[in-house]
Amino acid sequence: MRPIGILGGTFDPIHFGHLRAAFELNELLDLESVLFVPAADPPHRGRPLADAMTRLAMVRAAIEDQPGFIADDRELRRAGPSYTVLTLEELRLAHGTRPLVLMLGMDAFLGLTTWHRWRELLDLAHLAVAHRPGALPPVEGELGELLSARRVFRAAQLASAPAGWILVHPGTQLDISSTDLRDALRAGKDPRYLMPEPVRRMIIAKGIYARQGETIG
């Protein structure tokens, strides 16, 4: 069975950094599909500026032309903090022994020990960790030991078991962040070429991140 990829985040807003990493891992791992899972109540950061339905709409607009990319609203429908382990439990129940691959950037991986029930993540899925500018793989501590014990170097190994392995992918490192995009949009700057054009048009038309009384572009 081909694996299913899972990419979570606030997507506030979604941009080419998210999409390029997902696209490259999709091709590398020969995934059945990639689920983009917007968080409703992210436990490790403040509440998103854009509301849940707007962020879901931006994700749908961003991926509409890519076969196999799916917007998954399960965390928006679930009450309480958007814990990744709960999402993986739901997906494991739904997909049996099919391999699941949780995609995350190296910056997120470096904070993994702060995640709710983080030790259980590899019981439920593999991890595919994409390099991020300025974030280096851990070589010591709990995460260094975990990476040393669970790291594999061939993409095909993630299809050989339902969960348990970590693959680090160098990939194309685009230094784009949602935080910087929000700051630029609040300053009235145009995000052209940093995100899909349908998302850009939606943000500008609705003034999603603009200061009150200001326009973008």
Side-chain angles (χ1 to χ4, degrees):
M1 293 184 288
R2 293 165 65 198
I4 292 174
I6 304 104
L7 180 63
T10 56
F11 302 119
D12 189 29
I14 191 167
H15 54 70
F16 283 136
H18 300 125
L19 294 162
R20 184 63 200 180
F23 182 79
E24 291 185 3
L25 287 170
N26 180 50
E27 289 197 321
L28 177 68
L29 302 175
D30 189 27
L31 301 176
E32 175 74 21
S33 57
V34 177
L35 307 181
F36 287 74
V37 188
D41 182 9
H44 296 108
R45 61 182 67 191
R47 292 195 66 82
L49 290 186
D51 64 71
M53 290 302 103
T54 296
R55 291 183 290 112
L56 180 63
M58 288 192 287
V59 169
R60 286 174 171 159
I63 65 176
E64 61 183 354
D65 293 330
Q66 178 58 43
F69 281 15
I70 300 168
D72 186 313
D73 68 351
R74 71 182 62 237
E75 291 188 1
L76 305 182
R77 292 183 279 107
R78 191 173 68 220
S82 299
Y83 291 130
T84 298
V85 68
L86 301 181
T87 297
L88 294 180
E89 285 178 335
E90 291 179 8
L91 290 168
R92 176 55 63 208
L93 188 62
H95 293 287
T97 59
R98 181 185 292 273
L100 300 177
V101 182
L102 178 64
M103 303 173 173
L104 63 165
M106 183 60 72
D107 50 347
F109 180 74
L110 291 173
L112 199 68
T113 58
T114 67
W115 290 27
H116 182 60
R117 293 166 50 194
W118 71 275
R119 295 181 185 279
E120 299 175 40
L121 296 175
L122 281 169
D123 295 331
L124 298 164
H126 303 295
L127 302 184
V129 183
H131 276 299
R132 288 279 294 160
L136 299 175
V139 295
E140 55 187 26
E142 289 183 293
L143 288 178
E145 293 174 3
L146 182 70
L147 188 58
S148 177
R150 299 296 189 99
R151 186 172 182 176
V152 296
F153 293 89
R154 293 188 301 107
Q157 288 178 260
L158 271 61
S160 67
W165 299 117
I166 302 173
L167 179 76
V168 177
H169 177 58
T172 304
Q173 299 183 52
L174 299 179
D175 195 7
I176 306 172
S177 79
S178 295
T179 300
D180 290 344
L181 280 172
R182 293 193 301 271
D183 290 343
L185 287 160
R186 281 196 294 269
K189 296 180 180 178
D190 191 329
R192 188 186 293 271
Y193 306 127
L194 294 172
M195 59 176 58
E197 185 60 17
V199 179
R200 171 185 171 270
R201 289 198 299 265
M202 183 185 302
I203 288 172
I204 291 175
K206 297 183 177 181
I208 295 172
Y209 299 103
R211 290 193 180 97
Q212 189 171 2
E214 294 186 357
T215 58
I216 296 169

